[in-house]
């Protein structure tokens, strides 16, 4: 079976000659992958989504970047190559980029782990394009129509390089509503899939992901290193996993010998997944679940006098827009304060954020300010960011940060 049937559009991309203002050009020269519409000074009148934009310098007419034009986005051109070297945009070009991406993950893949992010959007030179591997299932998620005319060679290379037996297509909401292709979200486009739920291994611990209907591509791979670390630190401990989703931190803790783990999430379906993921592994501790609003449930636990040796708080993004940053910081401060009250003597509090608009430095400063205002002494043991399969190539590509705070009394 091949991908030759994946011809979603008869449109053949054109080449566009583009000139930018000084600021826009400077960003491209420095390797930034986004060109906003207000940076474009000159472009062909008949530009269409998927066209290859050749960006020329303002003065010397030297090519400074190659990108794909997106008529539907304020990020009008998404850069796929910084033009320090001349290249032809063809199947060999994309194949090589995927090989380079796999090489960046080589150290991770030498561990007992068969789940990883093969393509991390802009950070791997594929803006608006995600590819995750779960055992022998490759899940592609598209966020932009710019890729529609290039899909066949890219998918063939992804399948070959990852050795996937099955390929699943996932679509962002705007692509689900698009009439420019015939894909369906969750469609198996290569091979077969007997079950929506695929089992995989993450540092010796077994998990599962619903690759057809699950959030994003079915699971959150970015916290892998933190989950492993928390698991090791949880041996013989009681653990509270807040915003647990499918139980990533909980299951690592159980598999590493935690005596009691409580998974807290507003979604009963997510807690069902957490319980099932736990059962994929041998463990002797007790796995409890609490369904409800995290803030309210944490306050309830505090009223009952509950404390835990390890408390992990990993909320969803609180700031999807610039206007939400201040409110997000207030929520993070609240969580740090609640988390401190739930952490036992000599316990460990792990605070995480995936809000890209809240900078890592601001997040860590906020946590330390809140914890310093409490009566107990603490030490900041560690600050971590992305795992190795989520490489960062530009400032806005960084979103994940995680702080480990040890209380001394």
């Amino acid at each position: 079976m091949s991908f030759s049937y994946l011809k979603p559009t008869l449109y053949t991309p054109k080449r566009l000659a583009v000139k930018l203002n000084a600021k826009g050009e400077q960003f491209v020269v420095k390797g930034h992958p986004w060109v906003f519409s207000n940076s474009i000074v000159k472009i062909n009148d008949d530009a269409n989504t998927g066209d290859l934009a050749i960006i020329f310098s303002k003065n010397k007419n030297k090519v400074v970047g190659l990108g794909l034009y997106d008529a539907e986005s304020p990020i009008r051109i998404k850069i796929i190559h910084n033009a320090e070297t001349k290249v032809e945009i063809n199947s060999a070009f994309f194949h090589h980029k995927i090989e380079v991406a796999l090489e960046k993950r080589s150290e991770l893949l030498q561990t007992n782990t068969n789940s990883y992010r093969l393509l991390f959007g802009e950070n791997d030179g594929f803006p608006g394009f995600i590819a995750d591997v779960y055992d022998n299932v490759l899940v592609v998620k598209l966020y932009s129509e710019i890729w529609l005319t290039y899909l066949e060679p890219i998918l063939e290379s992804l399948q070959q390089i990852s050795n996937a037996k099955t390929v699943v297509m996932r679509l962002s909401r705007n692509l689900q509503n698009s009439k420019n292709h015939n894909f369906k979200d969750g469609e198996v486009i290569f091979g077969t899939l007997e079950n929506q739920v695929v089992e995989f291994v993450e540092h010796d611990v077994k998990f599962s992901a619903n690759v057809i209907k699950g959030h994003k591509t079915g699971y959150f791979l970015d916290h892998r290193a933190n989950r492993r670390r928390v698991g090791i630190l949880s041996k013989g401990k009681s653990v509270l996993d807040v915003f647990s989703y499918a139980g990533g931190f909980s299951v690592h803790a159980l598999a590493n010998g935690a005596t009691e783990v409580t998974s807290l999430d507003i979604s009963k379906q997510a807690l069902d997944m957490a319980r099932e993921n736990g059962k994929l592994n041998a463990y002797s501790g007790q796995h409890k679940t609490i369904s409800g609003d995290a803030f309210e449930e944490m306050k309830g636990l505090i009223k009952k006098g509950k404390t835990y040796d390890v408390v992990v708080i990993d909320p969803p993004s609180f700031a999807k827009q610039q206007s939400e940053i201040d409110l997000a910081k207030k929520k993070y401060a609240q969580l740090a304060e609640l988390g401190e009250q739930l952490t036992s003597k000599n316990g460990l509090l792990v605070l995480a954020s995936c809000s890209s608009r809240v900078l890592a430095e601001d997040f860590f400063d906020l946590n330390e300010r809140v914890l310093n205002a409490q009566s107990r002494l603490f030490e900041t043991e560690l600050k971590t960011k992305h795992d190795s399969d989520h490489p960062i190539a530009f400032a806005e590509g960084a979103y994940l940060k995680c702080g480990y705070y040890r209380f001394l009394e």
Side-chain angles (χ1 to χ4, degrees):
M1 184 178 178
S2 76
F3 293 97
S4 58
Y5 73 98
L6 292 177
K7 296 288 187 186
T9 175
L10 297 174
Y11 179 70
T12 302
K14 301 186 299 297
R15 289 173 172 250
L16 308 174
V18 180
K19 287 203 173 185
L20 308 178
N21 60 24
K23 189 177 180 183
E25 184 181 322
Q26 189 180 30
F27 270 93
V28 173
V29 169
K30 287 182 176 178
H32 200 284
W34 296 339
V35 175
F36 288 89
S37 56
N38 59 8
S39 295
I40 298 172
V41 173
K42 190 177 179 183
I43 192 168
N44 306 48
D45 292 334
D46 57 348
N48 288 299
T49 294
D51 285 344
L52 179 64
I54 303 167
I55 302 170
F56 293 91
S57 63
K58 208 171 178 186
N59 300 323
K60 298 179 182 176
N61 264 357
K62 184 177 77 170
V63 176
V64 295
L66 303 175
L68 300 180
Y69 185 83
D70 190 343
E72 302 302 315
S73 171
I75 303 172
R76 200 54 51 89
I77 298 170
K78 297 171 171 71
I79 302 296
I80 59 171
H81 180 68
N82 184 294
E84 291 174 359
T85 54
K86 288 186 178 180
V87 293
E88 190 66 36
I89 305 301
N90 53 24
S91 56
F93 168 80
F94 291 120
H95 189 89
H96 176 67
K97 285 175 83 72
I98 297 166
E99 286 180 327
V100 170
L102 184 69
E103 180 59 30
K104 291 178 187 174
R105 281 87 174 154
S106 59
E107 190 175 334
L108 169 66
L109 296 179
Q110 286 167 19
T111 68
N112 187 18
T113 298
N114 63 8
S115 54
Y116 62 99
R117 176 152 290 182
L118 177 51
L119 292 182
F120 183 31
E122 287 88 341
N123 298 282
D124 285 306
F126 285 83
F129 195 120
I130 298 292
D132 287 346
V133 176
Y134 300 99
D135 190 12
N136 58 16
V137 177
L138 172 74
V139 186
V140 168
K141 182 146 188 182
L142 294 184
Y143 289 87
S144 174
E145 291 184 11
I146 59 173
W147 295 107
L148 292 177
T149 52
Y150 304 90
L151 269 179
E152 184 187 342
I154 293 173
L155 290 172
E156 283 182 354
S157 292
L158 281 169
Q159 185 270 322
Q160 290 167 17
I161 290 168
S162 67
N163 291 316
K165 294 179 181 175
T166 303
V167 181
V168 176
M169 176 65 77
R170 300 297 304 270
L171 304 169
S172 64
R173 192 165 292 137
N174 65 311
L175 259 78
Q176 288 179 41
N177 297 328
S178 169
K179 294 179 181 175
N180 295 327
H181 63 84
N182 297 315
F183 297 118
K184 292 184 179 69
D185 183 48
E187 180 181 357
V188 176
I189 58 173
F190 181 87
T192 58
L193 195 65
E194 291 180 14
N195 195 322
Q196 292 184 8
V197 178
V198 176
E199 290 187 16
F200 59 92
V201 180
E202 177 180 286
H203 291 308
D204 302 314
V205 180
K206 294 176 185 175
F207 283 93
S208 64
N210 188 321
V211 297
I212 304 296
K213 293 180 180 175
H215 197 50
K216 305 285 187 180
T217 64
Y219 192 69
F220 296 100
L221 297 167
D222 50 7
H223 257 310
R224 183 190 305 101
N226 287 315
R227 289 191 287 261
R228 178 173 182 264
R229 189 174 291 109
V230 165
I232 293 167
L233 294 169
S234 297
K235 184 175 176 64
K237 311 285 187 185
S238 61
V239 179
L240 175 64
D241 180 8
V242 185
F243 302 100
S244 61
Y245 185 54
F249 287 100
S250 299
V251 175
H252 270 275
L254 287 165
N256 278 277
T259 55
E260 176 193 299
V261 175
T262 301
S263 302
L264 195 170
D265 200 278
I266 199 166
S267 166
K268 290 182 180 178
Q269 187 181 7
L271 292 172
D272 288 342
M273 287 191 287
R275 280 189 289 268
E276 291 306 309
N277 281 331
K279 290 173 187 175
L280 295 173
N281 304 274
Y283 66 88
S284 57
Q286 191 177 6
H287 191 188
K288 300 177 179 179
T289 58
I290 300 172
S291 173
D293 175 83
F295 292 86
E296 295 308 314
E297 296 298 336
M298 289 170 79
K299 288 173 187 172
L301 290 169
I302 290 165
K303 279 185 182 175
K304 291 176 185 174
K306 284 288 292 179
T307 59
Y308 303 82
D309 300 318
V310 179
V311 176
V312 180
I313 304 177
D314 176 32
S317 177
F318 287 146
K320 298 209 168 131
Q321 300 171 51
Q322 196 74 18
S323 59
E324 296 173 331
I325 292 176
D326 287 344
L327 180 59
K329 288 181 177 178
K330 285 179 184 174
K331 288 183 177 179
Y332 287 127
Q334 270 184 284
L335 290 174
E337 195 172 332
L338 292 169
E340 183 272 333
Q341 293 176 71
L342 286 164
T343 306
S344 61
K345 185 178 180 181
N346 300 315
L348 178 69
L349 174 61
V350 181
L351 298 171
S353 164
C354 64
S355 300
S356 61
R357 293 179 186 278
V358 176
L359 301 179
E361 187 180 345
D362 292 343
F363 177 68
F364 293 133
D365 286 350
L366 181 152
N367 288 339
E368 293 192 9
R369 192 167 63 250
V370 171
L371 297 180
N372 275 321
Q374 313 308 310
S375 58
R376 292 199 287 171
L377 293 173
F378 74 96
E379 282 182 352
T380 301
E381 280 195 350
L382 190 64
K383 296 175 183 177
T384 67
K385 295 181 183 176
H386 295 248
D387 204 355
S388 58
D389 59 339
H390 288 66
I392 303 305
F394 68 118
E396 293 89 338
Y399 64 90
L400 190 69
K401 45 267 180 195
C402 189
Y404 292 68
Y405 306 96
R406 174 74 65 183
F407 291 95
L408 306 178
E409 52 185 85

